[in-house]
Amino acid sequence: MEGMERARKRTPLFDWHKAGGAHMMEFGGFEMPLWYPTGAKREHLSVLTQAGLFDTSHMSVLEVRGPGGVDLLQLCFTRDLNACVPPRRGALVSGRSVYGAFLNERGECLDDAIVFQLAEERYLVVVNAGMGSVVAAHLEAHRGRMAAEVFDLSEKVGKVDLQGPASARILRAVLSAPESALPGMSYFSFKGHFDVASSRESEIRLTDGTPILLSRTGYTGEFGFEIFVRPERLVGLWESLLAAGRDLGLVPCGLAARDSLRVGAVLPLSHQDIGPWPFIRNPWEFALPFRPDRAGFTKDFVGAEALLGAADAEYTFPFVGFDPRKVADRGQAVVLDGSGKEIGSVLSCATDMGIGRHEGRIYSVVSPGRPQGFRPAGLSCGFLKVKPGLETGDTVALKDERRTVRVDVVADIRPDRTGRRPMRDML
């Protein structure tokens, strides 16, 4: 056991987490904070109403360089980089990023990722913890004669996520030129670079001169940013943000709140909600380059043929319960139809503490039209995988060894999320 403990990796913020009283756990090979003394409920609600700060340095980072880099990504990544930028499906350009997935030849998800275009022949690829070498090997296996190189920067980059409606106001205090850096930043755009050798590094800096890559992205569904920095500057950045956000309600957050927030925002956890089954018939089909008639794709890519032939693929649906009670997930709980017949399994089940029901409708603690005096007790929510094609509004039962709970199949979970709001509204 002691050897296993020593084998776990630690981010540069590990000592800070321990000193702050965080409850630690192993995730993706790293010792990470699950929650702090404030508790996961407050952390979750802070991101909805004020702001939360997450250590995400366990994520893996790759860089793809060379004139053939775009061709390699077009072959291996699900998104069509020539038609992926809203609102008119424009091509990916420098300063923009896009979410998608890497599949194998069977159409199964190796990992989901965000691809950033740094320059015409340079791309940053952010994948999940421990997946840098796997995705790098996948790219190398399909590189062939393409003029591209793949570099694994994992554990050479520090990253934190600042999430919540107060995020931009907090950032203003730590950026050297916030008046030019923040206005106009759209969803899935970014500025700067953490590498002093990059042509982008002068675009945005901290007040102490540290270059960063500032991205208007995150995995909570709420307004916020991901900030990439050199590892040796990570602790300073973390402490500066917490100091700047002290009067704006900023709290450090752990993996528990990150999980409940992402579920409420209908975002998948790789290797749990997406994994070794066809990446289709799920809420994330927007990551596939379907033609308008859905009879094919706008490009060829690894796994495309398998997806088009996946006639027997199961369906993945979001669900919302009627109270906070949860069941076991990761396939340990089953889905029962109205007659009690087992029709599938539960992939994720969490409690979004910021939502509740009133007269048959779901509201968030920040919904503009919420009833007077609305106090959400929280609702269980998540994803289930079933054989038959259920429909939105259907009610099913989830059953594990402890309990059975009723849930509704839904198209969305937490309403009135702030992730896509214009920057001008958040400053």
Side-chain angles (χ1 to χ4, degrees), residues 92-230:
L92 191 66
V93 294
S94 179
R96 296 302 298 262
S97 59
V98 63
Y99 172 85
F102 292 98
L103 311 181
N104 61 24
E105 286 76 5
R106 296 183 297 278
E108 301 166 346
C109 186
L110 294 176
D111 206 19
D112 57 349
I114 296 180
V115 170
F116 300 73
Q117 183 167 334
L118 300 172
E120 189 173 345
E121 297 181 0
R122 295 187 68 174
Y123 297 85
L124 203 68
V125 182
V126 179
V127 295
N128 284 285
M131 292 301 294
S133 60
V134 175
V135 175
H138 180 68
L139 290 168
E140 287 288 355
H142 291 88
R143 186 166 61 88
R145 295 180 178 272
M146 296 180 194
E149 295 180 283
V150 180
F151 299 89
D152 191 346
L153 306 181
S154 302
E155 300 177 58
K156 299 177 182 177
V157 181
K159 187 167 91 70
V160 298
D161 291 12
L162 177 64
Q163 302 282 292
S167 296
R169 286 174 285 154
I170 294 168
L171 265 179
R172 283 192 301 201
V174 302
L175 296 180
S176 63
E179 67 283 350
S180 62
L182 294 176
M185 279 194 77
S186 57
Y187 193 46
F188 272 77
S189 70
F190 68 93
K191 292 182 178 179
H193 200 293
F194 50 85
D195 184 355
V196 294
S198 169
S199 61
R200 305 187 64 98
E201 65 88 20
S202 62
E203 290 181 352
I204 190 163
R205 290 175 177 266
L206 302 177
T207 53
D208 66 0
T210 299
I212 62 172
L213 189 157
L214 179 67
S215 175
R216 226 201 104 176
T217 47
Y219 222 60
T220 65
E222 303 305 320
F223 176 82
F225 303 88
E226 293 181 276
I227 309 171
F228 300 76
V229 68
R230 298 194 309 276

Side-chain angles (χ1 to χ4, degrees), residues 171-358:
L171 265 179
R172 283 192 301 201
V174 302
L175 296 180
S176 63
E179 67 283 350
S180 62
L182 294 176
M185 279 194 77
S186 57
Y187 193 46
F188 272 77
S189 70
F190 68 93
K191 292 182 178 179
H193 200 293
F194 50 85
D195 184 355
V196 294
S198 169
S199 61
R200 305 187 64 98
E201 65 88 20
S202 62
E203 290 181 352
I204 190 163
R205 290 175 177 266
L206 302 177
T207 53
D208 66 0
T210 299
I212 62 172
L213 189 157
L214 179 67
S215 175
R216 226 201 104 176
T217 47
Y219 222 60
T220 65
E222 303 305 320
F223 176 82
F225 303 88
E226 293 181 276
I227 309 171
F228 300 76
V229 68
R230 298 194 309 276
E232 65 270 19
R233 308 310 295 266
L234 189 67
V235 174
L237 170 61
W238 178 270
E239 293 180 339
S240 295
L241 287 168
L242 287 175
R246 185 175 296 116
D247 295 333
L248 292 172
L250 177 64
V251 299
C253 299
L255 293 177
R258 184 174 173 86
D259 191 55
S260 56
L261 287 161
R262 67 95 189 166
V263 169
V266 196
L267 298 170
L269 178 60
S270 187
H271 310 118
Q272 183 167 320
D273 304 310
I274 49 180
W277 56 86
F279 185 78
I280 201 165
R281 294 179 176 172
N282 61 44
W284 312 290
E285 284 192 341
F286 64 85
L288 296 174
F290 277 109
R291 297 199 310 248
D293 60 6
R294 291 183 63 88
F297 298 119
T298 59
K299 68 165 189 175
D300 187 28
F301 60 95
V302 176
E305 184 177 353
L307 293 184
L308 293 175
D312 296 327
E314 294 179 298
Y315 294 79
T316 298
F317 293 103
F319 68 82
V320 177
F322 293 84
D323 56 50
R325 293 178 304 153
K326 299 184 294 183
V327 296
D329 55 15
R330 299 177 183 265
Q332 299 178 78
V334 298
V335 182
L336 308 176
D337 65 13
S339 65
K341 178 184 177 183
E342 183 177 326
I343 58 172
S345 62
V346 178
L347 300 173
S348 275
C349 188
T351 299
D352 189 324
M353 300 306 302
I355 60 175
R357 291 180 182 262
H358 180 79

Side-chain angles (χ1 to χ4, degrees), residues 74 77-85 89-90 92 287 289 298-299:
Q74 281 287 69
F77 193 55
T78 57
R79 295 301 288 266
D80 187 343
L81 301 185
N82 292 321
C84 64
V85 176
R89 293 175 63 86
L92 191 66
T298 59
K299 68 165 189 175

